[in-house]
Amino acid sequence: DEVRPSVVNIDTKVVPQQAEMPDGMNQLEDLFKYFGMPAPDQRQRRPQSATGSGFVLDKEGHIVTNNHVVDGAQDITVRLWNGSEYKGEVIGTDPDTDLAVIKIDAPDSDLRPVKLGDSDALKVGQFAIAMGSPRGFEGSLSLGHISALGRENLNLPGLRFQNFIQTDAAI
C-alpha cells in the first residue's frame, strides 16, 4: 500500500532506423516487384513499442527507470497509480548501469515519491520485495530474500560497476 503509488508503468515507441541495402540488392528488389510487393527499402518503418517500470523519485516529476526501456524512444507515456497518463521526457541516461531518468509534468497530488532505503544497512537473509509492471501487468509483486552482498567479478558484457546485491526476488 505504501509503495504501489510510487511505481509507474512506462510505454515507449521507437521508430527503427532504416537499414541500408547491401550491394546486389537490385536483384531482390526486382523479385519483390515481380510479385507486386514493395521492395524492402520501400517498406514503411513501423514503430515498435516497449513497456517497463519505474518509480517516482520526487515531487518535481523525476522518474527512475532502466535505460533499455527508454533507449531510442521517440514517444514516452508514463501511467501513474491512479490511471493518469503523462508524456515523459528523457533527462539523462547511463547505459553502463542501465539507469535512466525521465521527467513528467504532473500535479503534486498525482506524484508519490518512493521512500528510498539504505543499501548499506542490508543483511543477507532479509526479505526482498520487487514491485513493477512487467509487460504492462501493473502492480505485480514478487518476494524473495537477500542472497549475498558485494558481488564482484560477474563478467557481464559492458559492466563497469560491481558491488551488487544478489536477490532471488524476480525482477
Side-chain angles (χ1 to χ4, degrees):
D1 289 341
E2 186 176 327
V3 175
R4 174 64 184 107
S6 303
V7 177
V8 302
N9 182 62
I10 300 169
D11 292 314
T12 63
K13 288 194 177 42
V14 177
V15 176
Q17 296 290 335
Q18 188 165 349
E20 290 198 24
M21 292 296 148
D23 292 338
M25 196 58 155
N26 289 337
Q27 292 173 346
L28 184 60
E29 288 176 11
D30 291 341
L31 182 64
F32 274 87
K33 287 178 187 175
Y34 178 80
F35 287 104
M37 299 171 58
D41 63 339
Q42 296 172 349
R43 293 175 187 231
Q44 275 195 355
R45 293 176 291 156
R46 294 189 179 118
Q48 299 172 346
S49 61
T51 185
S53 301
F55 63 86
V56 177
L57 183 64
D58 59 28
K59 287 281 194 177
E60 286 75 43
H62 292 98
I63 294 169
V64 176
T65 188
N66 294 106
N67 181 64
H68 71 264
V69 172
V70 298
D71 188 29
Q74 285 87 21
D75 184 43
I76 301 170
T77 302
V78 177
R79 189 169 44 260
L80 302 180
W81 62 280
N82 62 5
S84 299
E85 292 187 356
Y86 298 94
K87 182 175 175 54
E89 173 189 0
V90 175
I91 299 298
T93 63
D94 184 3
D96 291 331
T97 58
D98 193 27
L99 290 175
V101 176
I102 60 178
K103 186 172 185 323
I104 61 172
D105 291 322
D108 283 359
S109 59
D110 278 358
L111 297 171
R112 305 276 177 91
V114 72
K115 294 179 186 173
L116 296 177
D118 180 0
S119 61
D120 290 333
L122 288 175
K123 295 181 182 174
V124 173
Q126 284 182 312
F127 284 114
I129 298 172
M131 181 177 279
S133 59
R135 305 209 185 279
F137 296 117
E138 296 180 35
S140 295
L141 181 121
S142 63
L143 177 67
H145 68 284
I146 303 299
S147 307
L149 298 170
R151 285 290 189 217
E152 302 280 336
N153 302 315
L154 298 178
N155 296 323
L156 296 172
L159 184 66
R160 290 186 20 204
F161 297 94
Q162 299 288 319
N163 195 21
F164 286 95
I165 300 165
Q166 180 182 344
T167 179
D168 63 350
I171 299 175

